[in-house]
Amino acid sequence: MECRVLSIQSHVVRGYVGNKSATFPLQVLGFEVDSINSVQFSNHTGYAHWKGQVLAAEELNVLYEGIKLNNVNHYDYVLTGYTRDTSFLEMVVDIIQELKKANPSLVYVCDPVMGDQGTMYVPEVLLPIYREKVVSVADILTPNQFEAELLTGRKIHTQKDAVEVMDLLHQMGPDTVVLTSTDLTSHHGDHFLVALGSQKTVHPDGTSSTQKIRVEIPKVDAVFVGTGDLFAAMLLAWTHHHPNDLKTACEKTVSVMHHVIQRTFTYAKEMAGPGRRPSPAQLELRMVQSKADIEKPDIVVEATIL
């Protein structure tokens, strides 16, 4: 059966972020992707200059109405990322609820992009909407540590705290939660980042079990944009292929990330020349060049089951 994804994210003319980061990898892995571009910018906002347009909630609704009128509003997955506008986010929730009525087995993958390292980079009025409306309809949630803390009102200092926060997020809605990055200390030292995941499986007899995992991810000394969007898209794809095996899905997701980032970093350093910091343009993800790694990633990280 063909699998169709509705992806509501940013679009850039040049480079890879939002829908540009998610669409090609999902298509390579066999998914049909219908994109709604929440913004259309010349490039991502990490450059010195950027221009473009923002899609209003009403315009989102008009596009969705068009799909609905033609009776092609049938989706297996919905994927969302960065949003700055409250009415837009509420409209997204309305659309997802309607799509779930049409297909109760639809899976909503939500990256609740709000901030990082203690700083919010979206208006604070979005937090209650995420907390009260969005998380409850999400099936797979990919917050970083700061976003998970915002959503639950709980701080994470230890792995035990992180596990409790993931359990709280399960109670709020999603069966799969991945903390994509945390400040927890890695067993391998400072050059590694710790990610954690939790997947709740309900068995036919009504009982449920939870798989909890930990992944140590090698760090790279550069700022990449669009990696979070790629992570959420790859987690969608690999949880689809390994529905009750979060360990394997995360290993494949993180391995794809590793290959794309390493290829990008090598290229950027080459382009910048010795001793010079690469520019945002040179650090654009080498997505097309990584096609083979996206399709069949060599597993470079192993997740441990907690």
Side-chain angles (χ1 to χ4, degrees), residues 55-65 85 87-88 91:
L55 194 74
E58 195 37 55
E59 292 166 323
L60 166 64
N61 195 40
V62 166
L63 289 173
Y64 177 66
E65 283 299 315
D85 181 71
S87 55
F88 191 92
M91 182 68 72

Side-chain angles (χ1 to χ4, degrees), residues 17 19 60 75 255:
V17 65
N19 272 333
L60 166 64
Y75 292 98
S255 294

Side-chain angles (χ1 to χ4, degrees), residues 54-58 60 82-94 114 120 122-130 133-134:
V54 177
L55 194 74
E58 195 37 55
L60 166 64
Y82 179 76
T83 304
R84 285 192 64 82
D85 181 71
T86 52
S87 55
F88 191 92
L89 190 56
E90 287 177 322
M91 182 68 72
V92 166
V93 173
D94 291 346
M114 289 183 283
M120 280 188 84
V122 300
E124 285 185 24
V125 287
L126 264 73
L127 176 57
I129 300 169
Y130 271 113
K133 296 182 180 175
V134 180

Side-chain angles (χ1 to χ4, degrees), residues 19-83:
N19 272 333
K20 282 284 289 283
S21 232
T23 304
F24 174 74
L26 284 169
Q27 287 171 330
V28 159
L29 288 167
F31 293 83
E32 286 286 355
V33 184
D34 292 1
S35 305
I36 293 180
N37 298 326
S38 54
V39 306
Q40 174 168 265
F41 286 169
S42 53
N43 44 267
H44 72 68
T45 57
Y47 284 73
H49 309 282
W50 50 274
K51 301 274 184 191
Q53 302 83 34
V54 177
L55 194 74
E58 195 37 55
E59 292 166 323
L60 166 64
N61 195 40
V62 166
L63 289 173
Y64 177 66
E65 283 299 315
I67 294 167
K68 206 161 74 170
L69 286 168
N70 289 307
N71 195 29
V72 288
N73 58 331
H74 304 289
Y75 292 98
D76 304 288
Y77 287 89
V78 176
L79 176 62
T80 66
Y82 179 76
T83 304

